[in-house]
């Protein structure tokens, strides 16, 4: 995805602005990674906490949700008496599935909205789709193929 994203961004600007566009693409990619992890983590933990609170059998739903979000499911269950482990295992699985379900639904909705925005805002060049490819595969002189013709 990264090469096609960079190629699409670079194809929309004049060559003298290529560095600026490359920097912008990389900056927004990193920003998206950081914010995506934070937002999806928040959604996951809040949904897990809600699932643990609804049951009423967890003394500290917030702390348990934080531990589960941090990958500590086994330690949550292992810290309980033997008789309570089976019930807590089921509850932890349900809470985890609920959180994961919420994250995946939000990601799907954001993906759908983003694809609609792309369809609505991205336009072809004024000369049609072949305008940017005029002469692709041909050298400006002697009709020899260019080195980048296969790209």
């Amino acid at each position: 995805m990264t090469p096609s994203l960079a190629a699409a961004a670079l194809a929309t600007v004049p060559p003298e602005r290529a560095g600026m566009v490359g920097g912008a693409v990389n900056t927004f990619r990193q920003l998206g990674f950081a914010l995506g992890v934070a937002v999806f983590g928040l959604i996951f933990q809040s949904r897990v906490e809600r699932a643990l609170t609804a049951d009423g059998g967890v003394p500290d739903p917030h702390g348990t949700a934080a531990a589960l979000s941090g990958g500590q499911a086994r330690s949550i269950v292992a810290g309980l008496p033997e008789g309570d482990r089976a019930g807590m295992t089921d509850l932890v699985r349900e809470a985890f599935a609920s959180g994961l379900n919420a994250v995946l639904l939000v990601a799907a909705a954001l993906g759908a909205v983003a694809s609609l925005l792309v369809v609505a805002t991205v336009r072809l060049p004024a000369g049609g789709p072949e305008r940017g490819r005029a002469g692709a595969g041909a050298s400006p002189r002697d009709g020899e193929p260019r080195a980048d013709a296969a790209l």
Side-chain angles (χ1 to χ4, degrees), residues 37-141:
V37 168
V39 168
F40 288 137
L42 177 68
I43 292 168
F44 179 81
Q45 184 170 344
S46 67
R47 188 62 175 257
V48 167
E49 186 174 344
R50 187 182 321 160
L52 293 173
T53 303
D55 178 71
V58 179
D60 180 19
H62 180 73
T64 305
L68 185 56
S69 296
Q72 302 297 319
R74 289 185 185 184
S75 65
I76 293 170
V77 174
L80 296 173
E82 189 68 37
D84 295 337
R85 288 184 186 175
M88 182 58 97
T89 299
D90 291 339
L91 182 59
V92 164
R93 285 182 180 160
E94 288 176 22
F96 187 88
S98 176
L100 190 58
N101 187 46
V103 166
L104 294 176
L105 286 174
V106 170
L110 288 175
V113 168
S115 65
L116 291 175
L117 284 173
V118 168
V119 168
T121 60
V122 173
R123 302 283 182 233
L124 293 175
E130 294 299 318
R131 178 177 173 246
R133 296 183 182 182
S139 174
R141 57 192 150 148

